[in-house]
Amino acid sequence: MDLQRTVRRKISCVGIGLHSGNKVTLSLKPAAPDFGIRFRRTDIGRSEVPATVRHLAGIQLATGLAFEEVSVDTVEHLLAALVSVGVDNVIVELSSPEVPIMDGSAAPFVYLIHEAGVAPQQVARKYLKIIRPIAISRGDKRIALVPSDHFKVTYSVSYDHPLLRHQSRTLRITEETFVEDIAPARTFTFLKDVEMLRQNGLALGGSLENAIVLGETGVLNNALRFEDEFVRHKILDAIGDLALVGYPVIGHLVAHRAGHALHTEFAAKVLDETEAWRIVEAPVEPVTMPFGVKVKPATSGLAG
Ligand SMILES: [Zn+2]
């Protein structure tokens, strides 16, 4: 049986908010089975904000959540790390509204979770398994989920920039591929947009320490971590935003030129389209034999 998991112990880190520039302490604490991922603010209020699409708020350049007096911002990189490492239940405490940006990737959150350790709980994990396609398109921006035996992501981007005319990648997402290929990919921005962001009171904590900045012909940072770091980061964002459905997804996510607004609109649509998925307790369902005996497929025996 595939069991739910939580962090083994409380663990904390300190960083700054990308948009606010404020210092913030983030702590991850163990939580009971079926608790899900919930945010608490240690500076205000007692309300918890569950990480689900029902609590979406303020999707601009990052994904925010709110419930009653409590809001939290820029949750997507942390959520991507939690769901990809397989943490189902956790309390996320923040000392101010924004999740720290760290180095602009999810790698520091993966490190934090691994440092705490992850413990199985005695309750089966539930997955949202896609059985019919679900899709949204807005002009040339598209996103869809189609049935697949595994969670896979295909993402493509194209921008009016010499380094970013076209990047595309397909990856089956497991803890291993996420940690190796996706978590280290950093957020990016265009130099021409930085001034506009600052004038609007955004990206006040932004620097070359926590974002790739694209000048007219190249990047201002010393080096990229991957040649196609940009599209890998879009995959990271999409995983974090899709986590707001509240279950690990079994299906193939296909997105073209999407962003937080479309990712989160799509996550809400997925939950609404109840005919297009089922909740299951194992990634690969047992095969039903003609005489009614259920057996696991051979591959799961090898893997187990
Ligand atoms: Zn991002």
Side-chain angles (χ1 to χ4, degrees):
M1 189 165 56
D2 200 2
L3 297 173
Q4 295 184 27
R5 306 204 296 177
T6 187
V7 288
R8 276 188 196 278
R9 62 181 177 94
K10 180 182 173 182
I11 193 161
S12 304
C13 69
V14 177
I16 58 164
L18 175 63
H19 292 301
S20 63
N22 293 334
K23 187 177 157 186
V24 52
T25 301
L26 173 147
S27 302
L28 304 178
K29 295 166 79 173
D34 293 323
F35 182 88
I37 300 168
R38 298 189 207 173
F39 290 86
R40 278 184 195 159
R41 289 265 304 275
T42 55
D43 56 334
I44 56 156
R46 296 187 165 272
S47 304
E48 287 173 345
V49 191
T52 72
V53 286
R54 290 185 192 85
H55 299 93
L56 271 173
I59 293 44
Q60 279 273 316
L61 298 156
T63 300
L65 302 168
F67 181 60
E68 295 177 344
E69 77 282 18
V70 174
S71 67
V72 292
D73 245 314
T74 321
V75 298
E76 61 273 15
H77 303 164
L78 174 64
L79 292 182
L82 288 169
V83 298
S84 301
V85 175
V87 176
D88 304 277
N89 306 301
V90 66
I91 298 163
V92 182
E93 284 187 348
L94 294 172
S95 65
S96 78
E98 215 180 339
V99 174
I101 189 65
M102 309 312 285
D103 67 352
S105 81
F109 299 129
V110 168
Y111 178 81
L112 198 68
I113 298 162
H114 283 163
E115 277 294 295
V118 174
Q121 300 173 292
Q122 294 307 310
V123 177
R125 176 181 284 153
K126 297 174 191 74
Y127 294 83
L128 188 147
K129 183 175 173 67
I130 301 297
I131 53 173
R132 288 184 204 161
I134 310 170
I136 296 184
S137 59
R138 297 274 178 270
D140 65 347
K141 300 175 194 298
R142 299 187 298 274
I143 186 163
L145 262 169
V146 297
S148 167
D149 284 341
H150 311 285
F151 181 44
K152 279 199 297 193
V153 182
T154 295
Y155 215 113
S156 55
V157 293
S158 58
Y159 292 87
D160 183 19
H161 189 281
L163 277 186
L164 266 181
R165 292 263 182 265
H166 183 76
Q167 284 188 355
S168 179
R169 177 166 282 272
T170 296
L171 194 67
R172 178 176 166 194
I173 307 296
T174 63
E175 177 173 352
E176 289 71 27
T177 62
F178 180 81
V179 170
E180 287 287 313
D181 299 324
I182 300 299
R186 294 163 296 171
T187 194
F188 58 94
T189 189
F190 295 92
L191 183 60
K192 63 183 172 56
D193 295 336
V194 170
E195 196 52 34
M196 186 268 294
L197 289 170
R198 294 260 162 101
Q199 280 167 4
N200 288 297
L202 294 167
L204 299 177
S207 73
L208 294 177
E209 301 297 309
N210 55 34
I212 304 168
V213 180
L214 285 137
E216 276 185 19
T217 54
V219 299
L220 274 59
N221 312 64
N222 286 335
L224 293 175
R225 293 179 178 176
F226 305 98
E227 193 188 350
D228 62 349
E229 189 167 355
F230 309 96
V231 73
R232 290 176 192 241
H233 187 80
K234 297 297 283 190
I235 293 175
L236 165 51
D237 281 341
I239 294 170
D241 289 334
L242 189 65
L244 297 173
V245 300
Y247 300 94
V249 170
I250 304 170
H252 185 176
L253 183 72
V254 184
H256 175 66
R257 301 201 72 196
H260 292 303
L262 196 61
H263 297 161
T264 52
E265 180 187 351
F266 182 68
K269 184 181 169 71
V270 169
L271 277 193
D272 287 344
E273 300 242 338
T274 53
E275 302 287 291
W277 46 264
R278 276 184 292 138
I279 299 298
V280 300
E281 287 195 351
V284 180
E285 296 205 306
V287 178
T288 304
M289 301 297 280
F291 41 87
V293 177
K294 289 194 168 184
V295 294
K296 291 255 179 186
T299 48
S300 69
L302 289 173

